[in-house]
RNA sequence: GCUCCGUUGGUCAAAUGGCUAAGACGCCACACUUUCUAUGUGGAAUUAAGGGUUCAAUUCCCUUACGGAGUACCA
């Protein structure tokens, strides 16, 4: 690659960034970094009616949380700025005019109503209305009207759009990095609107003008754009520009059923569809986010990278740097991939184990503080060391560790039937007196002493260990009993056993 | 409807003409832990269907079926 690689992520600020958008951004980011190139963020806000307050900030925050900040974009290294299309409005018209001058585009005066009528009319007859070569001369535009008529309409300030004049009877040979060669018959293409009557360009025009001006070398975008490739390709040709290379990414599909992943699937199946929590500014509806649900960005990124791509090796755990190193657009799949919430959790569990106990303690402390006061963060870190292997989220910690902080206030019914037997009371009383003689209250020593006592007296482990655990924890669960005793200390251990004796 | 893209276990997927079709998630069993997890070991489960080309097809070609996207003065 001789040219400096420059890619862009170009979302439109119509709401929070969907997980599919994050994946598109990720692949752009990986490709850029792999080739020591530049990752550009461009905001495609040409449709003012769909603009949503706060969406742009959300996009930037989401990219940063994921650890893939853009190199160039709004308010950052603005070498090719501005990066909001609404602020680039003045740039587009000249190219539309140029296309008209070269005969590649034309003015059209048809109202939305007449077009709508034609579409409905065709539909009723089982046909599709396509505005192109076969009917453009029957419609109201600068190809069907005389030059004088056109000028009169323009001078009168009538609303108009500028449409691209799709060629007739040509075959386009397009190339996509992921899909290979694609042949398109131009006769089925319609004359797309390039410039709207509100003075703004459509996506198509703005997109290729900006990609050209921003010197984008590779366009990596979702598969939903594949049908537009023919138009974009022709636009580059008509303007005499070199087209960038294209790669259309497969879609992310819902976990079950048909169609692409949507917010509803997340709500229904209980997983987030957005990286960060989002509050809709109009309805105040809250959409949950990966961050707030307790996912680590590394886990989400790792999972997303494997949706539609794989390294071809058996390695599955990849840091962002390793992904950059291994990433290759040629290894991206062609077919859509179903989203798997379980696997995302598995990744999160993995990355949880890699976090230090101290870092996790900082995250867990606020939760502990809600329940009781004055717990030392170092104690919390020690607790986490004992329980984190069984946790997927920080939010699992309390459920797994409350007995390190609070004595049980009840005993699990089924467990007590199993553990609390006739002889239990006496055994527990004996156990307390044994514990009282133990000077070194370490987990190891407790284990040696207590197990020694059980073996020496041929009591049977189950008869002691089960009720002991129940007394300490309140249920038959949790880590090693001796670790628990060591952590809560001698006094608390005895208190809990005596509390259990009192109920027997 | 039309156009384009796709189709390997339940899911993510490797292998690209050639040994018993990798691996991961999930599921099941066993082991460990005299608890619950986690972990370890093992297991069940796949080339959409039909036709062709070939000594040989998951891999190449065709048809069908199915899935997806697009078909806006939305991106």
């Amino acid at each position: 690659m001789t040219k400096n690689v420059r890619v862009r992520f170009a979302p439109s600020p119509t709401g929070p960034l969907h997980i599919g958008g994050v994946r598109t951004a990720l692949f752009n980011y990986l490709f850029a970094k792999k080739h020591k190139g530049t990752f550009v963020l461009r905001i495609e806000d040409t449709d003012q009616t769909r603009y949503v307050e706060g969406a742009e900030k959300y996009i930037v925050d989401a990219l940063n949380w994921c650890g893939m900040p853009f190199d160039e974009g709004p308010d950052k290294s603005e070498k090719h700025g501005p990066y909001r299309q609404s602020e680039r409005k003045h740039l587009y018209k000249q190219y539309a005019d140029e296309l008209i001058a070269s005969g590649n585009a034309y003015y059209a005066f048809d109202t939305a109503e007449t077009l709508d009528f034609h579409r409905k009319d065709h539909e009723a007859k089982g046909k599709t209305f396509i505005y192109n070569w076969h009917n453009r001369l029957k419609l109201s535009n600068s190809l069907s009207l005389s030059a004088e008529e056109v000028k009169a309409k323009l001078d009168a300030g009538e609303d108009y759009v500028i449409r691209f004049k799709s060629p007739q009877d040509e075959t386009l040979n397009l190339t996509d990095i992921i899909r290979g060669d694609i042949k398109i018959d131009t006769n089925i293409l319609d004359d797309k609107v390039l410039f709207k009557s509100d003075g703004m360009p459509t996506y198509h025009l703005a997109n290729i003008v900006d990609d050209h001006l921003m010197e984008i070398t590779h366009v990596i975008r979702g598969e939903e754009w594949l049908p537009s490739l023919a138009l974009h390709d022709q636009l580059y040709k008509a303007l005499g520009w070199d087209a960038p290379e294209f790669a259309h990414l497969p879609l992310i599909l819902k976990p079950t059923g048909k169609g692409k992943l949507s917010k509803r699937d997340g709500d229904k199946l209980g997983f987030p569809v957005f990286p960060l929590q989002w509050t809709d500014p109009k309805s105040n509806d809250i959409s949950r986010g990966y961050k707030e649900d307790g996912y680590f960005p590394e886990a989400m990124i790792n999972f997303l990278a494997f949706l539609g791509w794989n390294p071809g090796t058996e390695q599955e755990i990849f840091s962002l740097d390793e992904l950059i190193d291994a990433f290759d657009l040629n290894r991206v799949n062609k077919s859509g991939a179903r989203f798997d919430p379980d696997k995302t959790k598995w990744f999160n569990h993995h990355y949880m184990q890699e976090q230090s106990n101290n870092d996790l303690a900082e995250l867990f402390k606020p939760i502990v503080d809600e329940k009781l006061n004055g717990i030392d963060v170092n104690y919390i870190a020690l607790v986490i060391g004992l329980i984190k292997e069984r946790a997927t989220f920080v939010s699992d910690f309390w459920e797994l560790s409350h007995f390190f902080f609070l004595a049980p206030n009840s005993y699990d019914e089924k467990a007590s039937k199993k553990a609390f037997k006739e002889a239990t009371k006496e055994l527990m009383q004996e156990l307390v007196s044994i514990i009282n003689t133990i000077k070194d209250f370490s987990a190891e020593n407790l284990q040696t002493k207590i197990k020694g006592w059980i073996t020496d007296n041929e009591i049977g482990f189950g008869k002691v260990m089960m009720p002991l655990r129940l007394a300490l924890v309140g249920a038959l669960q949790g880590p090693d009993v001796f670790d628990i005793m060591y952590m809560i200390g001698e006094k608390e251990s005895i208190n809990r056993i005596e509390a259990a004796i009192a109920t027997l």
Side-chain angles (χ1 to χ4, degrees):
Chain A
M1 229 155 284
T2 49
K3 261 202 292 186
N4 261 345
V5 165
R6 291 175 57 81
V7 299
R8 85 296 193 281
F9 177 54
S12 115
T14 54
L17 190 58
H18 184 271
I19 202 84
V22 178
R23 206 266 316 250
T24 302
L26 173 63
F27 283 18
N28 272 282
Y29 176 85
L30 295 177
F31 185 78
K33 297 299 151 186
K34 167 102 188 178
H35 298 285
K36 311 232 177 310
T38 307
F39 177 49
V40 178
L41 175 67
R42 185 172 71 224
I43 303 297
E44 308 228 329
D45 54 352
T46 52
D47 185 1
Q48 290 139 335
T49 60
R50 295 212 304 161
Y51 182 81
V52 173
E53 195 64 41
E56 182 186 320
K57 183 180 183 300
Y58 180 98
I59 291 164
V60 173
D61 289 347
L63 292 178
N64 288 334
W65 181 69
C66 294
M68 40 186 196
F70 55 91
D71 301 309
E72 266 177 42
D75 312 315
K76 194 169 174 184
S77 320
E78 301 215 4
K79 293 188 202 79
H80 297 263
Y83 293 86
R84 290 180 196 97
Q85 290 184 328
S86 58
E87 294 169 12
R88 301 171 66 79
K89 197 176 164 183
H90 59 283
L91 286 165
Y92 305 111
K93 184 61 167 35
Q94 56 180 302
Y95 296 105
D97 289 340
E98 194 182 319
L99 289 167
I100 289 181
S102 64
N104 286 298
Y106 59 91
Y107 296 105
F109 304 98
D110 318 270
T111 63
E113 291 73 39
T114 54
L115 257 22
D116 209 39
F117 168 79
H118 285 303
R119 272 191 273 267
K120 292 228 168 78
D121 183 51
H122 276 65
E123 200 181 328
K125 293 172 186 159
K127 291 190 208 161
T128 306
F129 175 77
I130 304 176
Y131 201 128
N132 67 1
W133 59 275
H134 85 276
N135 61 11
R136 61 168 80 106
L137 291 179
K138 291 183 222 155
L139 293 150
S140 176
N141 54 53
S142 59
L143 299 174
S144 64
L145 303 169
S146 71
E148 291 74 34
E149 285 173 303
V150 171
K151 188 170 185 306
K153 279 177 182 288
L154 257 22
D155 289 347
E158 238 179 76
D159 274 357
Y160 68 88
V161 299
I162 296 174
R163 284 180 182 273
F164 185 71
K165 191 181 166 192
S166 278
Q168 194 177 343
D169 294 330
E170 281 182 30
T171 301
L172 264 23
N173 290 300
L174 309 170
T175 307
D176 177 276
I177 297 173
I178 295 168
R179 277 149 229 281
D181 295 333
I182 300 164
K183 279 194 181 21
I184 300 283
D185 174 2
T186 57
N187 288 346
I188 55 107
L189 262 26
D190 62 344
D191 292 352
K192 276 271 180 284
V193 171
L194 300 177
F195 206 82
K196 299 185 268 190
S197 58
D198 66 358
M200 286 292 259
T202 60
Y203 166 83
H204 301 290
L205 211 222
N207 187 262
I208 69 125
V209 167
D210 287 344
D211 282 346
H212 177 256
L213 262 23
M214 293 180 180
E215 297 173 20
I216 299 303
T217 56
H218 299 262
V219 172
I220 303 166
R221 72 218 311 194
E223 193 186 329
E224 67 270 27
W225 294 111
L226 197 51
S228 302
L229 181 58
L231 201 224
H232 298 173
D233 180 73
Q234 292 181 93
L235 244 17
Y236 280 104
K237 276 189 201 131
L239 287 163
W241 296 339
D242 285 337
E245 290 192 58
F246 291 91
H248 290 88
L249 270 21
L251 264 15
I252 298 179
L253 275 17
K254 49 182 72 201
T256 55
K258 294 176 175 186
K260 60 176 180 181
L261 185 65
S262 71
K263 177 176 162 354
R264 291 184 85 90
D265 301 309
D267 296 342
K268 207 168 68 189
L269 296 155
F271 63 87
V273 173
F274 303 108
L276 272 30
Q277 193 177 85
W278 165 261
T279 308
D280 188 282
K282 287 212 177 71
S283 64
N284 278 326
D285 282 350
I286 293 177
S287 301
R288 52 208 283 198
Y290 276 86
K291 181 185 177 195
E292 290 75 9
D293 269 24
Y295 287 86
F296 300 108
E298 297 88 342
M300 193 186 75
I301 290 298
N302 202 153
F303 173 73
L304 245 27
F306 272 73
L307 229 41
W309 172 86
N310 74 80
T313 66
E314 288 195 5
Q315 184 181 350
E316 211 165 4
I317 299 298
F318 280 81
S319 68
L320 200 51
D321 283 343
E322 288 172 318
L323 284 173
I324 290 168
D325 196 46
F327 188 72
D328 182 353
L329 274 180
N330 292 311
R331 289 202 64 90
V332 174
N333 288 133
K334 297 178 179 72
S335 48
R338 279 188 197 280
F339 183 85
D340 182 354
D342 281 336
K343 189 131 188 191
T344 322
K345 285 182 185 163
W346 178 79
F347 274 111
N348 212 60
H349 176 264
H350 174 85
Y351 282 98
M352 165 85 78
Q353 310 315 311
E354 292 194 342
Q355 302 272 325
S356 78
N357 295 341
N358 288 331
D359 287 351
L360 290 171
E362 292 298 336
L363 297 174
F364 185 34
K365 186 151 196 314
I367 299 172
V368 176
D369 286 346
E370 271 176 38
K371 319 266 182 188
L372 64 174
N373 295 324
I375 303 292
D376 180 23
V377 72
N378 294 314
Y379 180 76
I380 296 176
L382 289 173
V383 169
I384 286 171
L386 294 172
I387 54 137
K388 77 170 170 186
E389 68 174 24
R390 54 189 76 198
T392 299
F393 301 111
V394 170
S395 59
D396 295 337
F397 285 169
W398 180 255
E399 182 62 32
L400 292 167
S401 71
H402 59 271
F403 44 85
F404 283 105
F405 306 101
L406 295 169
N409 51 22
S410 66
Y411 302 106
D412 181 79
E413 206 179 310
K414 260 168 98 179
S416 38
K417 268 191 192 143
K418 201 170 153 193
F420 291 157
K421 297 273 166 65
E422 299 270 312
T424 304
K425 194 170 181 175
E426 270 175 48
L427 278 172
M428 289 298 107
Q429 280 162 345
E430 260 183 80
L431 179 62
V432 171
S433 51
I434 299 285
I435 292 170
N436 273 324
T437 68
I438 295 175
K439 296 234 166 58
D440 169 16
F441 207 75
S442 69
E444 299 77 38
N445 193 47
L446 282 166
Q447 169 157 342
T448 332
K449 293 278 157 56
I450 294 173
K451 285 195 170 174
W453 165 67
I454 296 170
T455 343
D456 292 348
N457 295 284
E458 293 177 3
I459 300 168
F461 283 99
K463 287 186 182 148
V464 177
M465 299 301 282
M466 283 217 278
L468 173 57
R469 175 175 292 280
L470 204 51
L472 297 170
V473 174
L476 293 182
Q477 56 179 251
D480 188 83
V481 267
F482 303 109
D483 281 331
I484 298 173
M485 288 174 76
Y486 165 70
M487 288 295 289
I488 62 178
E490 180 175 1
K491 190 161 168 277
E492 179 65 14
S493 299
I494 291 172
N495 284 348
R496 290 190 191 181
I497 297 167
E498 282 177 341
I501 292 169
T503 69
L504 291 170

